[in-house]
Amino acid sequence: MIEAMDWQRTKRITRHALKLRCPACGVGHLYSAPFKMFPACAYCEMVFAREQGYFIGAIYVNVIATESLIFFAYLLSITVLRVRDAVLYPTLFTLALVLPLLFYHHARSIWLGFDYLIDPPTPPTVSSVPHNSTDLF
């Protein structure tokens, strides 16, 4: 059965993502320094990177946002502003280099919020305590 989307929860998680906060509690910060993410929330202990390669989706978010902004800047430049090509292309090239860096933190935060909205983490069901068994199989 498909459940109706909880819009209040969606708004709350989106607000947390835009503020670069933990999507679960909204209190913990995601970053300790520029380009250095905490491994988990200091308040609710939610692990931010569930597995290796987890933030590949954030790359897609960043690429889509960057390409969209460049496309709209291009359309605005050729239709409204009538900017010459000699100025337009270096400007768009500079945007293509700078925007991904500026949007890096938010892309990861938006991806983390989206994943939390769709598939919230569950407590581990398997014990992490190693077994003292000598069995090989």
Side-chain angles (χ1 to χ4, degrees):
M1 181 175 159
I2 298 176
E3 296 179 25
M5 183 160 227
D6 182 359
W7 288 107
Q8 294 302 324
R9 180 174 178 262
T10 303
K11 287 179 191 176
R12 180 176 39 86
I13 292 170
T14 303
R15 197 170 41 251
H16 294 169
L18 294 175
K19 290 180 179 180
L20 302 176
R21 301 294 178 129
C22 171
C25 68
V27 179
H29 293 276
L30 296 180
Y31 293 92
S32 60
F35 305 104
K36 184 164 172 51
M37 191 172 208
F38 286 115
C41 178
Y43 293 91
C44 69
E45 298 180 356
M46 178 184 153
V47 176
F48 293 143
R50 295 188 194 181
E51 59 194 22
Q52 188 171 354
Y54 176 75
F55 286 108
I56 295 295
I59 294 171
Y60 291 120
V61 170
N62 204 343
V63 166
I64 290 168
T66 299
E67 289 180 1
S68 298
L69 289 171
I70 290 171
F71 177 71
F72 287 118
Y74 175 72
L75 285 180
L76 179 71
S77 298
I78 64 171
T79 58
V80 177
L81 302 176
R82 306 268 190 218
V83 177
R84 294 179 302 122
D85 289 347
V87 175
L88 177 61
Y89 295 133
T91 303
L92 293 176
F93 181 75
T94 303
L95 283 176
L97 294 176
V98 173
L99 287 175
L101 295 174
L102 294 177
F103 196 63
Y104 173 81
H105 293 96
H106 283 87
R108 288 175 70 109
S109 181
I110 288 168
W111 178 254
L112 187 62
F114 173 74
D115 185 57
Y116 182 76
L117 181 67
I118 301 301
D119 183 27
T122 56
T125 56
V126 179
S127 173
S128 59
V129 178
H131 297 285
N132 292 331
S133 174
T134 57
D135 295 340
L136 295 176
F137 300 103

